[in-house]
Amino acid sequence: MNDNCHICKSKSSFFMNKDGFVLYRCPSCHLVFMNPLPEQSFLNTDIYSIESGYQSNKAKDLSVTVPVKKTKDILNFLQKINLGKKILDVGCSNGEFLYHAKKSGFESFGVELNKRTADIAVSNGIRVFNGLLQNAGFENNFFDVIFLGDIIEHVLSPRDFIKECNRLIHKNGIIIISTPNLDCLWSRFTLMLFKIFGIPWSSVTPPYHTFQFSENNLDILMSEQGFKKEISWFYKPPRLMYELGSLHLLKKYKNQKTIKNLFFMLYAFSAYSITYLFVVCTGFFRRKDFSMISIYKKNE
């Protein structure tokens, strides 16, 4: 176990249990992280393998997919700046982002741990390495853009991960990071539901998410590694059904069909639904929200 924050090195302390895993929180930068961290072999075989069923619902024919708003925003931004066309997507899944980047004129490369989705990307004409980034064998300063789309929260060492990305990108290149933002109204309100009523906190999902970031601690990490933030965008929370699923109360009830579990599940779902409605309806008045995309430029 390592009680020190993985970003600012402050002494961290126990925060909560979720699904049998222990989470710590840094009192300074508010990073939330699993402690102890899982083994990479456990993630490879039990979490992200084909046998685990991870991302088994991903589209196979990317020609019928339509770019989502986040993809459009990123590609529009990249088209407006004077930068090269080599782009790497780490944790590229089935290659959907890279497919649309390629259609926009980018030379697309991917890295993906899950063989099923990596094979889908390859079958759609995307160059993808199936494995971990540090084993992909890319040359120094090879890329103009690295996209980390909801991947940094999954790694075992964010600092080492960004350091490897830094090696791969040329000077003035950019790194685009998409990750959940714990410092948002939705996460803060649902954390109160946990503290007051004992309702599980949907914003943390160990062991899939080993780290949970906010804008501030992500900026600290990137600045330490030689990057300056250009801009951040924020997006509303995921669908309510996704958040309710992250409570794992329905699964608990199916395993133990008791009146107590049933009523607590219905109570928790009602509380979450009311909170979700309030957060979504007031989203127009907030600059920051649940999902963030931050763009960082490598210092010369």
Side-chain angles (χ1 to χ4, degrees), residues 74-117:
I74 292 170
L75 294 179
N76 287 340
F77 176 86
L78 293 177
Q79 296 287 9
K80 293 176 182 178
I81 60 177
N82 185 22
L83 203 63
K85 293 293 186 177
K86 285 192 176 73
I87 187 169
L88 170 68
D89 183 356
V90 185
C92 67
S93 186
N94 64 341
E96 191 166 331
F97 171 82
L98 290 174
Y99 180 83
H100 294 293
K102 186 177 180 180
K103 287 179 65 177
S104 297
F106 287 89
E107 189 177 354
S108 298
F109 299 80
V111 172
E112 172 56 46
L113 187 58
N114 182 272
K115 189 176 187 306
R116 176 192 287 112
T117 51

Side-chain angles (χ1 to χ4, degrees), residues 60-253:
K60 295 182 179 180
D61 182 3
L62 299 183
S63 66
V64 301
T65 63
V66 177
V68 298
K69 186 179 187 312
K70 289 182 181 181
T71 298
K72 291 179 181 178
D73 289 344
I74 292 170
L75 294 179
N76 287 340
F77 176 86
L78 293 177
Q79 296 287 9
K80 293 176 182 178
I81 60 177
N82 185 22
L83 203 63
K85 293 293 186 177
K86 285 192 176 73
I87 187 169
L88 170 68
D89 183 356
V90 185
C92 67
S93 186
N94 64 341
E96 191 166 331
F97 171 82
L98 290 174
Y99 180 83
H100 294 293
K102 186 177 180 180
K103 287 179 65 177
S104 297
F106 287 89
E107 189 177 354
S108 298
F109 299 80
V111 172
E112 172 56 46
L113 187 58
N114 182 272
K115 189 176 187 306
R116 176 192 287 112
T117 51
D119 287 346
I120 292 174
V122 171
S123 70
N124 282 269
I126 308 296
R127 286 170 287 191
V128 175
F129 173 78
N130 176 214
L132 298 171
L133 176 62
Q134 60 266 32
N135 299 325
F138 293 120
E139 299 176 5
N140 293 349
N141 310 314
F142 186 73
F143 294 103
D144 306 294
V145 180
I146 295 180
F147 176 49
L148 307 178
D150 295 305
I151 182 64
I152 194 169
E153 65 271 19
H154 292 263
V155 303
L156 293 179
S157 175
R159 178 174 283 106
D160 291 344
F161 183 60
I162 297 299
K163 187 178 294 184
E164 176 67 3
C165 292
N166 196 350
R167 179 185 73 81
L168 299 176
I169 203 166
H170 67 65
K171 67 177 183 178
N172 297 322
I174 63 172
I175 290 181
I176 304 170
I177 301 178
S178 171
T179 192
N181 170 34
L182 279 190
D183 186 24
C184 69
L185 191 64
W186 170 250
S187 290
R188 285 187 273 126
F189 272 21
T190 50
L191 178 58
M192 289 174 57
L193 294 178
F194 165 76
K195 291 181 176 180
I196 298 172
F197 304 110
I199 299 173
W201 196 25
S202 65
S203 291
V204 291
T205 55
Y208 297 94
H209 290 186
T210 49
F211 293 88
Q212 300 279 172
F213 296 88
S214 64
E215 183 181 22
N216 175 61
N217 51 45
L218 188 60
D219 288 349
I220 292 172
L221 172 65
M222 296 304 291
S223 177
E224 174 201 89
Q225 295 297 317
F227 291 86
K228 180 181 178 181
K229 185 161 72 173
E230 297 288 296
I231 192 172
S232 286
W233 305 317
F234 294 86
Y235 300 84
K236 64 183 181 180
R239 295 179 297 107
L240 176 61
M241 293 302 294
Y242 178 88
E243 294 296 296
L244 294 181
S246 297
L247 301 180
H248 297 162
L249 293 177
L250 179 58
K251 180 180 180 181
K252 182 178 180 180
Y253 172 69

Side-chain angles (χ1 to χ4, degrees), residues 245-275:
S246 297
L247 301 180
H248 297 162
L249 293 177
L250 179 58
K251 180 180 180 181
K252 182 178 180 180
Y253 172 69
K254 287 181 177 179
N255 291 335
Q256 299 178 352
K257 291 185 178 180
T258 65
I259 295 296
K260 180 181 178 181
N261 285 344
L262 175 62
F263 274 94
F264 184 72
M265 178 184 69
L266 295 176
Y267 172 74
F269 284 6
S270 297
Y272 255 67
S273 298
I274 294 170
T275 304

Side-chain angles (χ1 to χ4, degrees), residues 24-39:
Y24 272 52
R25 189 186 191 193
C26 174
S28 298
C29 72
H30 302 150
L31 179 75
V32 173
F33 58 96
M34 290 178 63
N35 195 24
L37 288 166
E39 296 291 332

Side-chain angles (χ1 to χ4, degrees), residues 14 16-24 33-38 42-43 47 204-209:
F14 173 81
M16 66 171 64
N17 284 296
K18 177 77 183 285
D19 298 331
F21 298 97
V22 177
L23 297 169
Y24 272 52
F33 58 96
M34 290 178 63
N35 195 24
L37 288 166
F42 166 74
L43 297 178
I47 304 301
V204 291
T205 55
Y208 297 94
H209 290 186

